[in-house]
Amino acid sequence: MSADRQSGGPLPTALPIALDAMGGDHGAEPNVDGAVQAARTGVSVLLVGNRVTLHAELGKHPGSSKLPIDVVDASDVIGMDEHASDVRGRTGASINVCTRLVKEGKAAAAVSMGHSGATMASALLTLGRIRGVDRPAILTHLPARGGFTTLLDVGANADVKAAYLAQWARLATVYLKVLEDRENPTVGLLSIGEEDHKGSALVLEAHALLRELHGQGVNFYGNVEGNDIFKATTDIVVTDGFTGNVVLKLAEGEAKVLFGWVKEALTSSLPSRIGALLVRGGLRGLAERMDPSTYGASILIGVRGLAFIGHGSADARAVKNAVLRAARAHEANLVPRLEAAFGGA
């Protein structure tokens, strides 16, 4: 790999964010656009991918040569339809270059809108796990009453052990304390009923472990049900990656259908269209809260470095927000604080 500085640009004031600029459904265009938007706020970015393609995309953005953006050449990219295991033998793949930059201390975080499985595999193989964490998890935010609920795991681990859920509760607790200023966030265990005796064998075992952790770095509320996620009954909800991914996709899909129904209702007649003008501002704000691009990307929490995974369909706004979120996590020393919480700093 090699790096090219955009001539005339200022020297970065902090470690840059390594962006897998070739990843995602739409290739370089939204990645470069989002990176430029993030760089305009002062965040340094390394665009990782085909040098010629990335310079051509940067050329479409007036003034980009004066921004803290570098291009790091990567000869390969793992496509969305390829296997996650391909990261093992393709060292020149853009996501591998990104995680290697983090490992070598040349980047603060790796961000990818590309192959989620490949991103997880690359981060785990290159960065390793925080001592005391058996499996990293994907942590995301879902819009909920009064703000958002933090949900994990949403896809990294389909088959889990109860101990993983307890570890994720600890990780998420530190995350919310560090990045969201929530002093003593509550933790709920997703189940089919709020009663302690309800749930699968996994849930019952995890419940016992979380109850033991209560007051020792975890504020365990107890079992929560699916509707509690959106009522924000607890700050954090832990579950296995299979269930969490279903919840996430269901929530995102239902939001799209719901807004489709609202749009249809508000354009069905002249009185409805007049009413639509009156509520347009409120609906715009609601759409903003429910838009996944607001959060940009989800962190793979539990690895010894920062890695963020976004949607393959991400637009420039999502890329920008992902880069900003990664920079914020680095500035807050998230990984060292997670390691300290597990006694392995």
Side-chain angles (χ1 to χ4, degrees), residues 5-6 8-14 42 44 65-70:
R5 171 160 295 283
Q6 293 293 288
L11 290 173
T13 57
S44 302
S65 63
K66 297 181 180 180
L67 296 173
I69 298 177
D70 285 344

Side-chain angles (χ1 to χ4, degrees), residues 20-314:
D20 179 9
M22 308 302 291
D25 296 338
H26 308 299
E29 183 176 356
N31 284 304
V32 173
D33 189 354
V36 168
Q37 292 182 37
R40 292 194 194 282
T41 72
V43 175
S44 302
V45 182
L46 296 176
L47 292 173
V48 180
N50 181 276
R51 181 192 295 114
V52 174
T53 300
L54 296 179
H55 276 300
E57 282 297 329
L58 280 168
K60 299 176 183 178
H61 298 273
S64 63
S65 63
K66 297 181 180 180
L67 296 173
I69 298 177
D70 285 344
V71 172
V72 177
D73 191 54
S75 58
D76 188 14
V77 60
I78 296 178
M80 302 294 276
D81 58 345
E82 296 185 275
H83 293 289
S85 59
D86 288 353
V87 297
R88 290 182 177 274
R90 294 164 63 176
T91 58
S94 53
I95 185 55
N96 279 332
V97 174
C98 286
T99 55
R100 204 154 55 240
L101 287 166
V102 175
K103 176 73 171 180
E104 295 169 356
K106 297 175 182 177
V111 175
S112 179
M113 304 296 165
H115 196 305
S116 59
T119 302
M120 288 186 285
S122 180
L124 187 56
L125 289 168
T126 305
L127 303 174
R129 298 188 303 271
I130 288 174
R131 188 180 302 235
V133 175
D134 292 314
R135 295 285 190 277
I138 300 176
L139 178 154
T140 197
H141 299 311
L142 288 177
R145 181 185 297 165
F148 63 85
T149 296
T150 298
L151 177 68
L152 71 168
D153 179 24
V154 294
N157 307 272
D159 299 305
V160 307
K161 297 179 180 179
Y164 302 170
L165 300 180
Q167 291 166 12
W168 299 341
R170 295 172 64 191
L171 290 168
T173 296
V174 175
Y175 176 92
L176 286 186
K177 286 181 178 179
V178 170
L179 290 184
E180 302 297 340
D181 296 322
R182 298 199 182 181
E183 184 55 36
N184 194 28
T186 52
V187 176
L189 174 63
L190 190 61
S191 186
I192 57 172
E194 62 182 19
E195 297 84 359
D196 293 359
H197 63 275
K198 286 192 174 180
S200 63
L202 170 68
V203 168
L204 294 176
E205 185 179 354
H207 188 282
L209 292 177
L210 288 165
R211 184 63 68 193
E212 289 178 6
L213 285 175
H214 182 66
Q216 302 180 51
V218 172
N219 183 7
F220 184 49
Y221 170 89
N223 287 353
V224 294
E225 299 179 74
N227 60 348
D228 286 305
I229 295 172
F230 304 102
K231 286 161 41 178
T233 300
T234 58
D235 298 298
I236 300 161
V237 173
V238 292
T239 188
D240 64 272
F242 182 91
T243 304
N245 190 263
V246 171
V247 170
L248 176 64
K249 298 294 175 58
L250 177 63
E252 291 175 346
E254 181 64 14
K256 289 181 180 179
V257 171
L258 177 61
F259 270 100
W261 287 343
V262 171
K263 183 177 180 180
E264 184 179 307
L266 292 177
T267 57
S268 60
S269 65
L270 180 58
S272 296
R273 288 193 289 272
I274 294 172
L277 293 174
L278 298 176
V279 300
R280 182 171 53 185
L283 288 175
R284 188 177 293 117
L286 181 60
E288 168 80 11
R289 288 183 60 189
M290 299 183 72
D291 186 354
S293 67
T294 300
Y295 299 108
S298 301
I299 187 172
L300 180 65
I301 196 165
V303 291
R304 297 194 67 191
L306 293 172
F308 287 79
I309 302 169
H311 281 273
S313 60

